[in-house]
Amino acid sequence: MKLLIKNARIINADSTIEADILCDDGKIIRIEKDLYIEGVAETIDATDLYVFPGGIDPHVHMHLPSPAGFSSDNFLSGTKAALLGGTTTIIDFVTPKKGESLLNALAKRKEEAFNSVIDYSFHVSPIEWRDTTAQEIKDCIKEGITSFKIYMAYKKVIGIENEVISKVMKVVGEAGGMITAHCELGDEIEKLRDKFAKEGKLSPAFHPLSRPANLEVEAVKEFIAMGKEAACPVYVVHVSAKESLKYIGKAQQKGQQVFAETCPQYLLLDDSKYQGEFRKTAPYVMSPPLRETDDSKAIWMALGAETIQTIGTDHCPFSLEQKRLGRDDFRKIPNGAGGVEHRLALLYTFGVLQKKLSLNQFVNSTSTQVAKIFGIYPQKGVIQIGSDADLVIWNPKTEHTISAKTHHQNCDLNIYEGFQTKGEACFVITKGRIIVKKGQLVLKSKGSFLKRQKLD
Ligand code: URP
Ligand code: ZN
């Protein structure tokens, strides 16, 4: 089935051109000026609109188990919201239970993701070292999982010691994979949490105080050093602290393969959100916590300078009812917030329109770099002949106010409540089919598991 997009202003990471795009059988097959084709099923006139490669969110947690129940978006509701916001691919996570093999956990997670409406992959998390772990990692790579995530935080549940991290890194590095990490020093955090609890300091205001920036910075430093030692490419997820950037930048300058991601919340929100009553502050309980405005400024700069390559959302919404589990103890508040629907609009409004990012950099960090780093380029992340026809047609003029009352994420909270954005995905096309038209889902779509390549 052929789809023709006329008069497109095509924004790629490295170019901006005006041309028509012809899609057939799920792929982009021609990009030329003045294309007139017989037998086209649908034509879109993109005059005055931008065309971006579909957004790729490298960090989401759909249907994440927690003591407060599952994160409130499952793969169906969360990926519908993603699509409406212009994201056409996600990378979620596989977290095995203690004693469970990585491949078994992967197989179960694939079943949970069967109703995703967009393409998906996973980062797999070794949460312990067993005799079979090295082989399991190699088997995952054969299955198309080329990135692994370790947690330096959450020591009581899924976090692992540096000694184990080094073992995992060695195997992953030799096998040509990538290690991503949640960098916060878990033991130090536990001490601070216990100290505050003993002092009866249990409101959400103590969440950020128990996870200060220096514990992220120190973890980033250790993670990079372990990556160097193991000759394994490393990727720091959700960078939130200004000082972390120094270590990331220095290692990159020395030629080490170090990549970094941030999230809209660390660019646009700050720790003043933790002052006030529970109902108002609990929605912002996430890890790492929101930082100071100086941190946000430095992160914007690092994004512009491309020290940070990607923007994920860490989409992990919980309802107010779920957050209430920690009404009397911040340690019980499920960590996380939603955002997968708003990533492009927020970055376009506060990045591109405020001249912190060029349009090409916007595409680079929300799509192209993610595809390159995680082994799905040029299938995804670029508008070129032969790539998947995953396209976002962006109306730069539309205005919108974000609200939990109108968003499509399955949650009664929205940490961007009241934010005014400009620009909207007026058409979203996945594999050559128009799924979103004028901000509405108009067709059913089915995502596929993506087998990813190793980093070049
Ligand atoms: O607070 C967060 N980020 N929740 C999701 C789990 C994680 O740490 O990534
Ligand atoms: Zn996360």
Side-chain angles (χ1 to χ4, degrees):
M1 203 180 73
K2 288 194 173 73
L3 167 70
L4 180 62
I5 303 165
K6 296 286 297 170
N7 310 312
R9 179 162 256 250
I10 301 171
I11 317 291
N12 270 320
D14 56 1
S15 66
T16 301
I17 61 161
E18 274 165 38
D20 301 340
I21 306 170
L22 183 66
C23 311
D24 192 19
D25 211 12
K27 300 279 179 193
I28 297 167
I29 60 162
R30 288 173 73 177
I31 301 175
E32 289 163 41
K33 275 198 183 286
D34 304 323
L35 267 176
Y36 290 96
I37 309 284
E38 302 268 314
V40 166
E42 277 201 85
T43 302
I44 297 173
D45 181 4
T47 303
D48 297 332
L49 307 174
Y50 297 125
V51 185
F52 306 140
I56 310 173
D57 192 331
H59 191 155
V60 300
H61 302 272
M62 306 300 176
H63 194 65
L64 176 85
S66 87
F70 290 99
S71 57
S72 60
D73 262 322
N74 58 28
F75 279 88
L76 179 63
S77 63
T79 57
K80 278 186 179 175
L83 248 186
L84 285 158
T87 287
T88 55
T89 301
I90 49 164
I91 312 183
D92 202 290
F93 297 87
V94 173
T95 313
K97 299 212 160 51
K98 288 248 163 46
E100 186 182 26
S101 84
L102 300 182
L103 282 174
N104 194 51
L106 171 61
K108 285 198 325 215
R109 195 72 173 144
K110 278 188 187 173
E111 278 175 27
E112 288 174 352
F114 84 98
N115 58 1
S116 173
V117 298
I118 57 179
D119 287 352
Y120 54 92
S121 180
F122 306 101
H123 311 281
V124 169
S125 285
I127 60 154
E128 60 194 342
W129 186 261
R130 294 179 293 115
D131 290 350
T132 51
T133 305
Q135 190 55 46
E136 289 172 28
I137 289 172
K138 291 178 202 159
D139 291 343
C140 282
I141 292 180
K142 282 194 205 129
E143 293 288 309
I145 297 289
T146 51
S147 56
F148 297 83
K149 168 146 181 222
I150 57 95
Y151 294 82
M152 297 172 85
Y154 309 133
K155 274 291 182 56
K156 287 181 178 163
V157 265
I158 51 176
I160 52 179
E161 301 296 336
N162 286 4
E163 194 193 321
V164 178
I165 297 174
S166 292
K167 284 184 186 169
V168 171
M169 275 184 171
K170 201 156 181 304
V171 178
V172 172
E174 277 169 11
M178 154 95 69
I179 290 280
T180 78
H182 179 135
C183 292
E184 285 186 295
L185 292 186
D187 292 334
E188 305 306 315
I189 290 169
E190 290 310 324
K191 279 183 210 154
L192 284 171
R193 280 156 68 96
D194 290 347
K195 174 182 159 308
F196 286 131
K198 274 196 194 114
E199 292 167 0
K201 296 174 173 167
L202 290 166
S203 73
F206 292 95
H207 170 74
L209 298 178
S210 68
R211 312 181 86 95
N214 67 302
L215 298 186
E216 173 184 309
V217 179
E218 199 50 41
V220 166
K221 197 168 131 190
E222 289 180 13
F223 176 58
I224 292 173
M226 288 187 275
K228 186 169 181 215
E229 180 70 28
C232 181
V234 296
Y235 175 102
V236 184
V237 307
H238 49 44
V239 174
S240 67
K242 177 179 167 177
E243 294 294 311
S244 299
L245 299 167
K246 284 191 189 153
Y247 295 99
I248 293 165
K250 259 192 219 157
Q252 288 169 345
Q253 277 160 21
K254 287 186 188 154
Q256 193 182 338
Q257 278 188 302
V258 176
F259 303 95
E261 164 200 286
T262 194
C263 311
Q265 55 269 35
Y266 302 118
L267 293 163
L268 299 171
L269 303 170
D270 65 62
D271 58 1
S272 60
K273 294 287 181 198
Y274 298 113
Q275 299 310 316
E277 58 179 311
F278 182 86
R279 200 170 51 86
K280 294 259 193 266
T281 53
Y284 300 93
V285 169
M286 61 183 77
S287 296
L290 301 173
R291 306 288 187 198
E292 296 176 8
T293 47
D294 263 6
D295 293 283
S296 308
K297 278 187 201 149
I299 291 173
W300 272 119
M301 302 269 283
L303 205 49
E306 298 175 25
T307 308
I308 292 179
Q309 288 73 37
T310 66
I311 300 161
T313 54
D314 201 0
H315 179 80
C316 190
F318 289 100
S319 66
L320 183 57
E321 191 54 36
Q322 290 177 295
K323 294 268 178 190
R324 279 209 179 100
L325 187 70
R327 181 74 191 83
D328 302 316
D329 184 346
F330 74 87
R331 297 173 299 172
K332 295 189 184 147
I333 301 173
N335 281 207
V340 73
E341 184 173 349
H342 311 302
R343 187 178 61 128
L344 296 193
L346 290 170
L347 265 294
Y348 180 79
T349 306
F350 299 101
V352 176
L353 296 183
Q354 295 193 0
K355 305 215 178 310
K356 293 181 176 116
L357 296 177
S358 69
L359 261 180
N360 307 92
Q361 284 179 313
F362 162 81
V363 164
N364 202 27
S365 57
T366 56
S367 179
T368 312
Q369 281 299 326
V370 185
K372 286 186 173 171
I373 293 170
F374 292 113
I376 43 174
Y377 184 90
Q379 181 187 353
K380 309 278 188 193
V382 60
I383 301 176
Q384 71 178 32
I385 293 170
S387 296
D388 283 357
D390 289 358
L391 301 166
V392 174
I393 304 186
W394 191 259
N395 183 347
K397 298 219 171 91
T398 315
E399 294 186 8
H400 179 68
T401 303
I402 296 177
S403 173
K405 293 199 175 69
T406 51
H407 71 194
H408 300 85
Q409 301 170 152
N410 182 37
C411 194
D412 57 351
L413 302 173
N414 192 313
I415 56 171
Y416 305 106
E417 187 73 37
F419 270 59
Q420 294 189 331
T421 57
K422 209 161 175 198
E424 181 198 45
C426 56
F427 292 92
V428 183
I429 294 153
T430 62
K431 288 181 236 151
R433 297 164 70 235
I434 303 170
I435 309 296
V436 174
K437 213 182 241 182
K438 294 196 180 133
Q440 302 290 326
L441 287 167
V442 290
L443 206 64
K444 276 197 175 157
S445 59
K446 172 114 190 69
S448 307
F449 172 70
L450 293 168
K451 282 196 164 202
R452 298 187 278 118
Q453 308 294 315
K454 297 176 192 173
L455 191 69
D456 286 338

